[in-house]
Amino acid sequence: MLVAAVVAPAAAYAVTSRQDVHYQASAQVLLLTAGSALPTNSPSLPSVPNTPATQTVLARSPAIAQQAIDIGHLPLSPGAFLAATSIDFSSDGNIVDFSASTKAPELAPQLANAYARAYIHYRYTSQTSGLETLRKTLEARLAASPSGAVRGAIGAQLQAIETQEAVHTADARLFQRAEGAATVEPPTRRNTAIGLALGLVLGIGLAFLLEALDTRIRSSDVVEERLGLPLLGRLPAPSRSLRRGKRLAMLDKPGGPQAEALRILRTNLEFAMLGRDIRSVMVTSAIEEEGKSTTIANLAVAFARVGRRVTIVDLDLRRPYLHRFFDVGDRPGLTEVVLGHASLDQALVPLDVDAEVARSVDAARSNGWAPRLPIGTGAPLHVLTLGPIPPDPGEFVGSQPLAALLEHLRSQCDLLFIDAPPLFHVGDGLTLSARVDAALVITNLGMARRHGLVRLRRLLDSMPARKLGFVVTGVANDDGYGYGAGGYYAYPPSHAEAARQ
């Protein structure tokens, strides 16, 4: 709206200001009611209708234009004169306004006055020419008439005509001369105001149009309203170094803003599960690349660091990703366990999260200062990657051996996190929702669309598992839980580190 409100009047001003300046002058002529001194027995004179339409046609004739040019000694042709002038009758038809518009301010009043005088002269001559013609006719008849009585009658008529010619005056007078010219073009102020009004209308229309066409989601409040689920956390996008190295913020940067956001998510999730027998949680999203696998891996580490026994399972049967975050070596995966090619103990990868965090902090300290991070009493985190992708993922996710394996894992830990496939395009996630206690939805604000949320809501409503809430990923770093750069998130340094500072 602001752009349209600024651009439209600016364009109108720029275009109008480049136009040539025109000056206008006007002269007014008063039309009088002419009386007739002709006797009743005199021949009738031809008359021209005195209506404004008829008089306008006559006044716009090239003959009157040429007469005006001759009267004013103007350097114009009749066509150019008529193009530069105009006439307008008043509502009662008694006053005629003769206007002229030119680029030269001194020429406009000359044209208007010459036009008015030529029209007055035309009306006078059009009336006196009839009297002159009648007089000549009577004189010819008088000379040819032998009868004395007839000659007397013709003589009386001729005397009346001569009297009429002597006393006749024009029925049009110059009421007001054109004394000066006023600027009429370009109407810069008017066009700029019109441009501003049109710009506001156009801006409002474009705003509504863009709002209708733009299906992007701008805030988590819209997601909460459309999904009907509570917001459990807002996670900033991982830094470039974490994405490039396929590392986790909870392991590599436990004192950073993203790790703090994950701890808040962990707390909110605990409140959502409070008083409910929820031990297996499926983490899913609408489409791929919304941060589902990164979130579930970090969240599992966050729960393990507070002493919860956590097992994380990769069941994204088409695009597995968890094996990139953890060093699983050549261990078998879930599919091999289900098929009986390996035991569960061989496939589960134990991870000492405290040791991993300490190793990351020591590496950071060797490259420069790093905060002292207290090591808690974290429990081992077990990771079960997918292994070879099955040829028929849809049948595999609904198989009974997989359901039995998931139930066994659920009984062996405090929390079982399952990295499930996205809900759109495939039905694996809906099938898997019948095998878990609850579901957690990941939504990326930069990828979410309004129509997609409507579809996601329908899919979530059809799930048998309890919906705990949703997590928004990809938010700006300055939109998280901090007070600016500096390390409000960081732990206080040790005494030795403080002394070195």
Side-chain angles (χ1 to χ4, degrees), residues 1 5 198 206 249 255 264 270 288-289 296 341 367 409 422 438:
M1 289 174 59
L198 292 178
L206 287 176
I264 293 176
E270 287 179 330
E288 60 274 5
E289 298 183 0
I296 192 174
H341 298 164
N367 296 326
L409 291 173

Side-chain angles (χ1 to χ4, degrees), residues 253-421:
K253 296 182 179 180
Q258 189 180 29
E260 183 61 28
L262 286 162
R263 281 187 282 269
I264 293 176
L265 171 59
R266 178 191 64 195
T267 302
N268 291 336
L269 195 57
E270 287 179 330
F271 280 120
M273 296 186 299
L274 186 64
R276 301 169 180 169
D277 185 21
I278 296 177
R279 300 177 67 180
S280 59
V281 178
M282 178 184 80
V283 180
T284 186
S285 61
I287 58 177
E288 60 274 5
E289 298 183 0
E290 291 197 75
K292 168 178 60 69
S293 299
T294 304
T295 301
I296 192 174
N298 278 299
L299 193 58
V301 174
F303 272 101
R305 290 216 63 214
V306 293
R308 303 289 292 272
R309 295 176 301 164
V310 181
T311 299
I312 180 173
V313 179
D314 193 347
L315 266 177
D316 193 341
L317 303 178
R318 289 170 172 82
R319 295 188 62 180
Y321 203 87
L322 286 182
H323 63 279
R324 305 184 186 187
F325 293 128
F326 304 102
D327 184 15
V328 297
D330 56 354
R331 287 176 177 265
L334 178 142
T335 55
E336 294 167 297
V337 174
V338 171
L339 295 175
H341 298 164
S343 65
L344 181 60
D345 293 337
Q346 292 175 325
L348 278 176
V349 180
L351 178 68
D352 188 345
V353 293
D354 283 340
E356 291 291 332
V357 171
R359 188 160 42 250
S360 298
V361 172
D362 290 340
R365 186 178 290 112
S366 64
N367 296 326
W369 178 84
R372 178 183 62 84
L373 189 69
I375 304 300
T377 57
L381 168 66
H382 289 88
V383 180
L384 181 58
T385 58
L386 180 63
I389 298 177
D392 192 349
E395 296 294 334
F396 181 83
V397 76
S399 62
Q400 186 59 36
L402 176 62
L405 176 62
L406 294 179
E407 182 61 29
H408 175 73
L409 291 173
R410 178 183 181 276
S411 64
Q412 298 298 314
C413 61
D414 297 326
L415 276 175
L416 173 64
F417 283 112
I418 299 174
D419 187 3

